[in-house]
């Protein structure tokens, strides 16, 4: 019979004491604990931009990307009479950043220190010397790797780099590196999508102008696209079947190849989506590659004593 009142009493006593304890614990620890949890738990949405990450978020980004980092490579050069100097830089960053959002990778900031000697006669061109291009790129990838980017995917946005980048990748075999350089050098699908209206389309033409309509439509001055000729002028005859660096200036002296007035938003959307998807596939392939670094290490070891190499 005493049970009930005692229980009631106990309950009535326990309730306030429990709440009191709860309040004391809350006031003493809840707030700092909550803040501490906020500070150490990585934000679920981690920026893909290297320069936007805090130092500790950068560590998390390298972990999340499995050491895969993108180096979108642009240039500053004339793009016909109607597109901005940074067209290649703006486009390649648009594609790389959107790809990294889908397949997480840390994306290096603006980089535009490539091969563009052939446009030095046009305003706004930044043409760094040959030695500096290679030295800067090497130090950049070395520093990226020192910060955990053991797989560096250079996404090329500029046609004039198409000899520089494979050469750079090949010269990674000159001495040991603890990382792998990959180059992705596609920008335009060979087929599919809306039918194209022009045949010559190498620089600031239908494709490039269309893609710019997606990445930065505010910078496209399509009304000016016909104010210069983007035709192949083949002004003088130079030997065929041999390569010479002046060929581009001979054929396209206005630094314009194609016709930007033929560009459309639809073509740009198709090509940009293709580009983004292609970079996503490349990131996945690079993440899944556990062969290249092993082979590199084997190669470096053997190249230290070539006379011992078995045939
Ligand atoms: Zn371009």
């Amino acid at each position: 019979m005493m049970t009930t009142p005692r229980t009631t009493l106990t309950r009535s006593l326990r309730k306030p004491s429990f709440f009191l304890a709860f309040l004391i614990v809350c006031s003493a620890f809840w707030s700092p604990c909550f803040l501490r949890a906020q500070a150490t738990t990585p934000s679920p949405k981690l920026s893909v931009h290297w320069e936007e990450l805090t130092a500790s978020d950068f560590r998390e980004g390298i972990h999340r990307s499995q050491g895969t980092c993108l180096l979108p490579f642009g240039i500053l050069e004339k793009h016909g009479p109607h597109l901005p100097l940074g067209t290649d830089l703006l486009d390649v960053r648009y594609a790389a950043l959107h790809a990294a959002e889908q397949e997480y990778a840390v994306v290096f900031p603006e980089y535009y220190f490539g091969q563009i000697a052939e446009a030095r006669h046009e305003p706004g061109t930044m043409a760094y010397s040959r030695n500096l291009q290679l030295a800067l790129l090497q130090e950049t990838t070395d520093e990226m790797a020192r910060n955990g980017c053991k797989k560096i995917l250079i996404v090329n946005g500029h046609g004039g780099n198409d000899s520089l980048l494979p050469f750079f990748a090949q010269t990674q075999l000159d001495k040991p590196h603890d990382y792998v350089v990959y180059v992705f050098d596609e920008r335009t699908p060979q087929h599919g999508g809306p039918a194209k209206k022009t045949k010559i389309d190498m620089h600031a033409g239908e494709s490039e102008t269309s893609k710019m309509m997606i990445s930065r439509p505010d910078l496209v001055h399509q009304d000016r696209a016909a104010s210069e000729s983007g035709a192949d002028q083949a002004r003088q005859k130079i030997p065929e079947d041999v390569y010479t660096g002046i060929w581009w200036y001979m054929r396209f002296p206005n630094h314009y190849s194609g016709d930007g007035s033929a560009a459309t938003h639809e073509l740009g959307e198709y090509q940009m989506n293709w580009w983004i998807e292609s970079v996503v596939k490349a990131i996945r392939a690079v993440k899944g590659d556990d062969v290249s670094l092993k082979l590199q290490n084997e190669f470096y070891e053997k190249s230290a004593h070539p006379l011992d190499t078995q045939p």
Side-chain angles (χ1 to χ4, degrees):
M1 289 300 288
M2 290 294 285
T3 312
T4 306
R6 198 163 58 217
T7 308
T8 310
L9 181 67
T10 313
R11 274 182 191 157
S12 63
L13 283 174
R14 270 185 190 160
K15 267 184 193 167
S17 62
F18 173 75
F19 280 121
L20 195 60
F22 182 72
L23 284 173
I24 290 166
V25 167
C26 281
S27 60
F29 299 110
W30 180 268
S31 187
C33 279
F34 180 67
L35 289 176
R36 204 157 45 240
Q38 270 194 327
T40 52
T41 307
S43 51
K45 179 87 174 79
L46 206 55
S47 175
V48 299
H49 296 249
W50 181 302
E51 70 275 20
E52 290 181 3
L53 296 163
T54 65
S56 65
D57 282 350
F58 180 83
R59 191 185 288 122
E60 169 64 17
I62 292 295
H63 176 71
R64 195 179 290 188
S65 71
Q66 300 159 52
T68 302
C69 302
L70 304 188
L71 177 56
F73 202 138
I75 206 78
L76 293 177
E77 60 164 334
K78 182 185 174 189
H79 270 80
H82 61 295
L83 294 181
L85 297 167
T87 291
D88 291 352
L89 179 67
L90 296 164
D91 273 349
V92 74
R93 289 191 63 77
Y94 186 93
L97 288 164
H98 279 82
E101 295 278 355
Q102 289 181 44
E103 183 64 42
Y104 190 86
V106 178
V107 182
F108 193 79
E110 275 81 357
Y111 195 93
Y112 48 87
F113 316 107
Q115 193 297 121
I116 188 57
E118 68 274 21
R120 292 182 68 210
H121 63 302
E122 299 286 5
T125 303
M126 289 300 293
Y128 293 90
S129 66
R130 171 178 46 193
N131 290 348
L132 184 59
Q133 290 170 45
L134 287 167
L136 192 59
L137 188 53
Q138 189 71 69
E139 290 215 10
T140 301
T141 57
D142 284 353
E143 279 296 282
M144 290 172 78
R146 193 177 63 78
N147 282 287
C149 301
K150 299 303 180 190
K151 293 175 170 182
I152 299 176
L153 178 58
I154 299 176
V155 183
N156 186 27
H158 168 53
N161 282 341
D162 55 3
S163 297
L164 171 73
L165 293 176
F167 176 68
F168 176 73
Q170 284 177 309
T171 57
Q172 299 313 295
L173 301 180
D174 62 356
K175 62 178 185 202
H177 297 276
D178 67 345
Y179 64 95
V180 181
V181 169
Y182 305 84
V183 178
F184 183 75
D185 197 9
E186 301 285 338
R187 290 172 290 283
T188 308
Q190 295 304 313
H191 28 246
K196 280 176 57 178
K197 297 173 221 143
T198 58
K199 288 212 163 70
I200 294 179
D201 185 26
M202 282 195 272
H203 188 71
E206 186 178 359
S207 291
E208 215 166 21
T209 307
S210 296
K211 281 198 276 276
M212 199 48 146
M213 287 174 165
I214 304 303
S215 64
R216 285 297 301 273
D218 56 314
L219 301 180
V220 178
H221 307 280
Q222 204 171 8
D223 55 320
R224 303 183 203 167
S227 65
E228 287 177 14
S229 172
D232 185 348
Q233 304 198 16
R235 297 177 296 168
Q236 295 174 44
K237 204 125 183 74
I238 56 173
E240 291 172 7
D241 305 326
V242 288
Y243 184 90
T244 179
I246 202 67
W247 76 271
W248 176 262
Y249 179 73
M250 189 269 288
R251 290 176 61 183
F252 305 104
N254 296 329
H255 225 66
Y256 186 19
S257 166
D259 183 1
S261 62
T264 62
H265 187 273
E266 291 67 36
L267 183 66
E269 199 165 57
Y270 177 79
Q271 292 199 352
M272 192 54 96
N273 285 338
W274 176 90
W275 196 0
I276 293 167
E277 281 167 28
S278 302
V279 177
V280 167
K281 284 183 201 155
I283 299 171
R284 288 187 180 138
V286 163
K287 281 184 179 174
D289 175 25
D290 57 0
V291 174
S292 295
L293 189 59
K294 277 186 206 151
L295 280 179
Q296 271 189 202
N297 289 335
E298 179 189 303
F299 172 85
Y300 296 138
E301 198 283 320
K302 283 188 177 175
S303 62
H305 48 94
L307 297 188
D308 301 331
T309 306
Q310 298 302 313

